[in-house]
Amino acid sequence: MRAARLIKMVLLLQSRPSMTAAELAEELEVSERTVTRDALALSEAGVPVYADRGRAGGYRLIGGYRTRLTGLARGEAEALFLSGLPGALRDMGLEDAASAARLKVSAALLPSLRHAPDSVAQRFLLDAPGWYQEPETPELLPPVAEAVWDDRTIAARYRRGDREVERELAPYGLVLKAGVWYLCARSGTAFRTYRVDRFAAVAVGEERFVRDEGFDLEAFWAERSAEFARSLLRAEVVVRLSEAGARHLPYVTDRMAAEEALAGGEPAPDGRVTVTLRVENEEVAFGQLLGLGPEAEVLAPDSLRARFAEAARGLAELYR
């Protein structure tokens, strides 16, 4: 424990010109007296820690005692500190490791680059969770993240509907999408996606698996996301749209489905266009197309058209 604290103290002093005993005590979560003893221990071990006396005094390193990543440009250093999601790292149990890593990089940077972390923090914030919901961290996320990091197989029980299935998985990567964690893993010879909050049990094995070097997590997720979105669109509706309705269609329904519908639409002399739109179901289509008001006329199916007619009569009565 003390050895780790002494290393952290050296890294803190490398990352700043000087620090007071109070500042070091706060960072290291110890007393100022312990800071004094640690500084003495470092000095006796050959680390050139120097104590400046007086009101503005503090501790600093002398003699150029530091390691520098001189190959980093300012933009590269700032991009490095932009590359993490603090909340996601905390959920995976990697917050301490990430903090130590950032501290080591800060300590190694040239003085002209030392403000890169603060510069980025005041300009960019990555907020992954979606609106209108409180994100919940899956209980089994840390062991899953550990297995992903170490390329270790896992034995898992996964809730599928009202039953549980057992799977032996090679966990390749984790994805945080709108506050929900997903595991991309190989089951047998096939790659699949699992919601982490649906794991009922996870046992991390001792065996390491050999990763497929051709696997690309970003490309795999993009492909599966597109497949999932398409799989939801199981019904079709026929709609006649005004020019304004056509412009706004991508904003009220699935954008890809709207673009496909408009590309194959049948224009009329009055500027309206008739399209066949893929939707999840009639209930969802009603809620989406209702937002277009009189700019959209549902032609089929008859049941959905009748529902819009009933809604129109209700609105007319309400606003009479």
Side-chain angles (χ1 to χ4, degrees):
M1 176 69 83
R2 191 190 184 199
R5 189 176 71 243
L6 291 174
I7 293 173
K8 186 174 182 179
M9 183 174 179
V10 173
L11 292 173
L12 284 167
L13 293 174
Q14 284 186 191
S15 65
R16 308 179 193 181
S18 68
M19 296 183 69
T20 66
E23 290 172 337
L24 283 168
E26 182 178 358
E27 290 280 357
L28 299 172
E29 299 180 350
V30 296
S31 67
E32 292 186 30
R33 180 172 296 181
T34 299
V35 169
T36 301
R37 288 199 297 264
D38 286 351
L40 180 61
L42 287 171
S43 181
E44 291 175 349
V47 179
V49 179
Y50 181 80
D52 291 315
R53 305 299 180 185
R55 182 183 301 177
Y59 293 92
R60 60 186 175 88
L61 293 173
I62 61 175
Y65 190 90
R66 56 176 47 86
T67 302
R68 294 173 174 172
L69 296 177
T70 54
L72 283 179
R74 180 178 181 83
E76 294 169 330
E78 291 177 341
L80 177 64
F81 285 95
L82 179 62
S83 62
L85 286 167
L89 293 170
R90 180 180 61 250
D91 293 345
M92 290 188 291
L94 298 175
E95 184 177 30
D96 290 341
S99 176
R102 285 192 295 269
L103 182 59
K104 290 178 181 179
V105 174
S106 294
L109 290 174
L110 288 167
S112 61
L113 302 178
R114 294 261 169 79
H115 295 296
D118 295 333
S119 174
V120 170
Q122 294 305 319
R123 287 168 172 79
F124 301 100
L125 175 66
L126 302 178
D127 185 11
W131 291 101
Y132 314 121
Q133 61 179 352
E134 287 295 327
E136 295 184 4
T137 302
E139 182 180 351
L140 295 175
L141 178 60
V144 172
E146 176 190 349
V148 170
W149 190 257
D150 289 339
D151 292 340
R152 294 187 183 276
T153 58
I154 61 174
R157 291 206 317 273
Y158 189 73
R159 289 186 290 269
R160 178 161 292 168
D162 57 356
R163 63 190 181 95
E164 290 185 2
V165 295
E166 295 186 356
R167 292 288 184 268
E168 294 286 336
L169 302 175
Y172 269 63
L174 283 164
V175 175
L176 176 60
K177 171 69 172 178
V180 180
W181 286 95
Y182 296 89
L183 173 67
C184 302
R186 190 181 68 217
S187 176
T189 59
F191 285 94
R192 305 183 187 280
T193 303
Y194 303 86
R195 279 186 60 144
V196 178
D197 58 5
R198 292 181 184 168
F199 283 117
V202 170
V204 180
E206 294 297 324
E207 180 184 352
R208 281 189 166 89
F209 64 91
V210 178
R211 295 180 69 91
D212 180 351
E213 295 299 327
F215 178 82
D216 184 316
L217 179 60
E218 183 177 0
F220 173 80
W221 178 255
E223 180 182 348
R224 290 304 168 91
S225 297
E227 289 178 0
F228 176 72
R230 287 194 297 268
S231 71
L232 294 177
L233 307 179
R234 302 185 181 95
E236 290 185 345
V237 298
V238 180
V239 188
R240 182 183 293 127
L241 300 165
S242 67
E243 293 182 6
R247 286 197 306 271
H248 289 94
L249 184 64
Y251 299 100
V252 300
T253 187
D254 181 84
R255 178 174 291 273
M256 185 179 298
E259 291 174 350
E260 290 177 355
L262 292 170
E266 300 176 7
D270 63 357
R272 291 181 172 264
V273 60
T274 300
V275 302
T276 299
L277 176 69
R278 291 192 301 152
V279 295
E280 189 171 341
N281 53 50
E282 286 191 21
E283 182 70 27
V284 171
F286 177 75
Q288 293 174 337
L289 297 176
L290 194 62
L292 296 178
E295 307 303 328
E297 178 189 359
V298 173
L299 304 179
D302 291 339
S303 56
L304 184 58
R305 181 178 174 85
R307 187 169 180 180
F308 270 91
E310 181 181 352
R313 287 192 294 270
L315 286 171
E317 180 67 26
L318 181 64
Y319 288 99
R320 177 179 298 174

